[in-house]
Amino acid sequence: MYAFEFERPKTVEDAVAALKSDEAQALGGGQTLIPTLKSRLAAPAKLVSLQGIDTMKFVKAEGGVLSVGGGTPHAVVAAEAAKSYPGLAALAGNIGDPSVRNKGTVGGSLANNDPSACYPSAALASGATIVTDHREIAADDFFDGLFTTALEEGEIITEVRFPIPEAANYQKFEQPASRFALVGVFVAKFSDGVRVAVTGASGDGVFRWTEAEEALSKSFTPEALKELTVDDSDMIEDLHGSAAYRAHLVKVMTGRAVAAAG
Amino acid sequence: MPKDGQIGPATKRREDVRFLTGKGRYTDDINLRGQAHAYFLRSQVAHGKINGIDTAAAAAMPGVIRIFTGKDFEGIGGLPCGWQVTDKHGKPMLEPGHPVLAQGKVRHVGDPIAVVVAETEAQARDAAEAIEVDLEELPAVMDMKAAVQGGTLVHDDIGSNLCYDWGFVEENKAAVDEAFAKAHHVTTLELVNQRLVANPMEPRVAVGDYDQTMDHHTLYTTSQNPHVIRLLMGAFVLGIPEHKLRVVAPDVGGGFGSKIFHYAEEAFVTFAAKAINRPVKWTSSRSEAFMSDAHGRDHVSKIELALDAEGHFQALRTETYANMGAYLSTFAPSVPTWLHGTLMAGNYKTPLIYVNVKAVFTNTVPVDAYRGAGRPEATYQLERVVDKAAREMGIDPIELRRKNFVTEFPYATPVAVEYDTGDYVATMDKLEEMADIKGFPARLEASKKKGKLRGLGINCYIEACGIAPSHLVGQLGARAGLYESATVRVNATGSISVMTGSHSHGQGHETAFPQVVADMIGIDASQIEIVHGDTANTPMGMGTYGSRSLAVGGSAIVRATNKIISKAKKIAAHLLEASEGDIELKDGKFSVAGTDKSVDWAGVTLAAYVPHNYPLESLEPGLEETAFYDPANFTYPSGAYACEVEVDPETGKVTIESFAAADDFGNIVNPMIVDGQVHGGIGQGIGQALLENTVYDENGQLLSASYMDYAMPRANDVPFYKVDHSCQTPCTHNPLGVKGCGEAGAIGTPPAVVNAVLDALNRAGHDVAHIDMPMSPARVWAAMQK
Ligand SMILES: Cc1cc2nc3c(=O)[nH]c(=O)nc-3n(C[C@H](O)[C@H](O)[C@H](O)COP(=O)(O)OP(=O)(O)OC[C@H]3O[C@@H](n4cnc5c(N)ncnc54)[C@H](O)[C@@H]3O)c2cc1C
């Protein structure tokens, strides 16, 4: 770790102001950022912790929408969304280990947009709205490829609004070492159609599998996927699996998510 | 029934109180006054020529005390290799230098180039980033088979990448080839025993201290064998005589072999502490451990088994490429040879065996012993080829094994060792019962109903433990003796300190060793303490590895305790005015046979130190004895394992449904500790079979350099094991009749798991002969697509 300054503001406004200084960076739960600092892969001059901002920590379900504060840890989502949006709660409850879930936040996860992270698939499949300190961004416009998002420098995710589907399920096939998603598929069925978002598989990060969405919108059954194939040309190929394997898993996990969502 | 604390009962581990409450005292807990911190600048390329190192800017950075490079170590010995293998032509192996810091060339990612010693670790690291190394990258030597054909050399001065080409037993080769030519059936298998990183929970740490007034050095280090480190470092690297060098290995958080070896960092902190006249500390990060701890395994093998029409093994032939890495680590040359070739007979009476091993230098981290060391590699090859032969010949794998079991002991194998005892039929019988082999078809059906493929894998193993008879290993090239030592110091009030040369880094010696002494004398185990890990207060001993602590170290304790008992009897005889021959010791009491005259243990020990009434004319006061024990033979633990798996046909994911291990460890001192050792070994074996893999790319970059990519087994990867050690054929040549249990699990498990997965696939109609470990979901799925 290199030396850095540290601030812990109590309001979003103060955090935005603090982030204006040179090479300042927001710190959420630190589950990604702290290891990065420790291995000296990042050297911010100042860390602005968002953990002191109480207005960014909440879970509430209202009018068919689950709103989660950007600073809410995974464990809190897992517990408090269990009734209102069980598919999302289950996803949050299966991220990392207890210490990761007690510290890591939904805002941090979405802002980081790790190609193997779980939350981006939930946001994209739910058609979530990402609320920041000064605007609202649709999930479809938010994810911009590996570790890249529509967020501007110093912009803070204060809230994420997930429309609650009629049925939903997340299937995560774990990478054996990291236990992030080797392939993760979030399926969400709304009255006006089905959305399917895939994480872990593509070299471009989370994406929607539109062919599956069309087929499942007609018939929400695993059999509806039967004739579909997943193109493996953009899939990640690494020591944990080939592109063909990942493409195959996308279909298998989608089928399982549909079956589990019922 | 023996009492708790004596030989037999499952006495709870006394050391766990401090380990489980965070009170262990590890090397990193040692902080000396005025201590400086060392940070190693390591090579980021696999192979390169150093044209220059500019430390000027770094030296001016805050807190920097001194920067060391290879130049500071010119004229100082390199790290020695403790074993010399002779090749099949009678030539000694090629033995390149192994400098403490790189001399002119770097040879693997992680090879140390320079060290910054500074006031704080962060300052040292900051300064290391400012060191400018003018490095000319060279092609990396990665593929072993290509490396021995010529091309780029890892070490220019030795002229070849082939360390040795070993044939064993060379005189048998022609007969073996002839048997193959005449065989009814030959089964051939090519396989890889993948490279592993030991990953003990505690990374390595070294603290060097120097007392200028006494010209005395102390090294605190995470070692399995402090005396060995003192000898190797003192005599071969730094030229410090034993009485000027103390090596302390306090609580050590796991070793698994990787903490046997003498490492550059130990020599460095010892050297630097004198150079700057301040204590110097180095603590490895986990990332550093991946590229500086010796790795394990990494064999590429071809094995052939010749059988007659009934399935009797006629001959066995193997060819192995064994990766040495960039340098010869302390015991590296012995692992693929004497710890591997000699075990190739396994549990079977194969009359003719020939083993060829080519040890190869590559631009990778050095490879040395890792839990099992050579024996897992031998067992894996043998048990995989036996399983394949069973499938090819349509013989039940258990039946084929039984048909070929060695049944008469002692048994002299065609590969130099002689098994003293064993009962492979008994362990197989036990296994069949424990694993409910008869019930397998019903479980197979149940799995099918769930859409899963189920498989049953069987494995037998034999290992040579209790390492080792010095006379034998001396003939085989060892540059050390492999005895063990013990001093039993009885104090005036009867309490006892046992100073042992063995070293506990998780094995439970502090509990098991007192059980032996308590049993012999008949006193409470709480009266006995174990002292280990410090050359200043233990006799010269060889440390702990190769499942040797109880078999060799425990035997030394028995010998020393016998000397104590015999002297105590003399004292008792004097006190009781009886003749020595009439004195009996029972339950801590000395009595005169056939009378009611007696004196208790404390009465005798007090007399030894307060010799008011004492036979001074015939006996010295005091009660302290030392013994050294050198075994007559290896011990040969053996066993039979069964693993049942389910394979998800859609994803290739393997789950272990059940695992049973029937081991024969001879006599058992503490069954709970033995269970724990077997559990841990099976866990590591499952890790190797399904998860762990050390992957380099073709440029020598380590791709699996953290837990993000190196998959360690976790609690939910393993089932609840069934383990049993009721089959006991005591070792015939050590006083405890014990064999050693530390490595069995890691040796016996991988083939059982792999055999089970292949059984599942083949039962489901997939014609898959072999899948290399780790059997990751991706690999299993890919095999099913063919
Ligand atoms: C052992 C381990 C296992 C894990 N397993 C999983 C897993 O299975 N699935 C999974 O999805 N993730 C996993 N994670 C990642 C975890 O979910 C992290 O919590 C998450 O990726 C980052 O969230 P954070 O709050 O910790 O963010 P930080 O690490 O604090 O920050 C990450 C990035 O986001 C920025 N940031 C943080 N908060 C905000 C905000 N509110 N607005 C804008 N920018 C912000 C930071 O500046 C930084 O760039 C794992 C992590 C660990 C250590």
Side-chain angles (χ1 to χ4, degrees), chain A residues 245, chain B residues 453 646-654 689-690 754 757-758 760-761 766 768 770-772 774-786:
Chain A
Y245 182 56
Chain B
L453 320 180
E646 275 187 356
V647 180
D648 180 340
E650 287 185 322
T651 64
K653 188 170 166 58
V654 176
L690 297 182
V754 174
V757 174
L758 289 164
L761 299 190
H766 297 285
V768 180
H770 180 68
I771 302 173
D772 275 325
M775 301 183 104
S776 64
R779 286 187 178 178
V780 174
W781 177 80
M784 286 191 288
Q785 305 315 304
K786 279 177 195 141

Side-chain angles (χ1 to χ4, degrees), chain B residues 278-363:
Chain B
R278 282 176 65 173
V280 176
K281 180 174 190 171
W282 168 76
T283 300
S284 172
S285 68
R286 183 61 68 185
S287 315
E288 218 174 351
F290 270 100
M291 56 182 168
S292 68
D293 289 5
H295 293 173
R297 317 276 193 261
D298 206 346
H299 286 191
V300 175
S301 300
K302 178 179 175 188
I303 180 162
E304 298 162 285
L305 178 64
L307 303 97
D308 71 11
E310 285 80 49
H312 296 112
F313 302 164
Q314 304 294 299
L316 187 74
R317 190 162 61 189
T318 75
E319 183 189 25
T320 287
Y321 287 80
N323 208 331
M324 295 285 104
Y327 303 100
L328 288 179
S329 175
T330 313
F331 289 115
S334 69
V335 175
T337 50
W338 303 107
L339 292 172
H340 166 257
T342 49
L343 273 300
M344 234 38 248
N347 308 55
Y348 313 111
K349 44 189 185 219
T350 313
L352 290 162
I353 299 178
Y354 178 72
V355 178
N356 174 249
V357 178
K358 297 173 181 74
V360 185
F361 293 110
T362 59
N363 290 117

Side-chain angles (χ1 to χ4, degrees), chain A residues 2 40 177 240 245 248 256, chain B residues 126 129 648 650-651 709 714:
Chain A
Y2 297 102
R40 295 192 159 198
H240 304 290
Y245 182 56
H248 166 77
R256 289 183 182 184
Chain B
D126 284 343
E129 284 177 11
D648 180 340
E650 287 185 322
T651 64
D709 289 301
R714 294 178 232 203

Side-chain angles (χ1 to χ4, degrees), chain A residues 39-51:
Chain A
S39 46
R40 295 192 159 198
L41 296 170
K46 182 197 276 184
L47 282 190
V48 180
S49 169
L50 308 177
Q51 299 222 319

Side-chain angles (χ1 to χ4, degrees), chain A residues 25-26 28-33 50 74 104-105 111 117-118 157 172 179-180:
Chain A
Q25 190 173 2
Q31 296 304 295
T32 297
L33 189 49
L50 308 177
H74 310 326
T105 65
C118 301
I157 299 176
K172 174 182 181 183
R179 300 204 174 178
F180 275 64

Side-chain angles (χ1 to χ4, degrees), chain A residues 39-216:
Chain A
S39 46
R40 295 192 159 198
L41 296 170
K46 182 197 276 184
L47 282 190
V48 180
S49 169
L50 308 177
Q51 299 222 319
I53 307 173
D54 290 338
T55 56
M56 278 176 58
K57 294 179 197 164
F58 61 87
V59 177
K60 67 171 192 266
E62 244 173 39
V65 175
L66 182 83
S67 303
V68 179
T72 313
H74 310 326
V76 172
V77 176
E80 295 187 11
K83 283 222 173 68
S84 51
Y85 192 166
L88 183 75
L91 172 147
N94 196 31
I95 291 176
D97 49 50
S99 86
V100 170
R101 293 194 288 275
N102 285 326
K103 293 296 282 177
T105 65
V106 61
S109 181
L110 294 181
N112 195 47
N113 193 19
D114 185 308
S116 307
C118 301
Y119 258 122
S121 68
L124 194 57
S126 306
T129 301
I130 287 99
V131 182
T132 75
D133 54 272
H134 69 276
R135 59 176 172 148
E136 293 181 4
I137 311 169
D140 281 313
D141 304 325
F142 182 81
F143 302 105
D144 250 358
L146 303 191
F147 299 103
T148 329
T149 66
L151 291 175
E152 296 156 4
E153 194 97 339
E155 191 173 3
I156 298 172
I157 299 176
T158 54
E159 181 181 345
V160 187
R161 295 188 192 134
F162 298 92
I164 300 174
E166 291 169 359
N169 184 263
Y170 176 62
Q171 289 288 323
K172 174 182 181 183
F173 192 83
E174 287 174 349
Q175 192 256 58
S178 71
R179 300 204 174 178
F180 275 64
L182 186 73
V183 167
V185 179
F186 201 105
V187 170
K189 176 175 182 285
F190 293 92
S191 57
D192 59 350
V194 175
R195 290 171 67 108
V196 176
V198 179
T199 187
S202 166
D204 296 328
V206 65
F207 70 95
R208 282 174 66 186
W209 185 16
T210 47
E211 291 89 346
E213 291 182 350
E214 276 164 35
L216 291 169

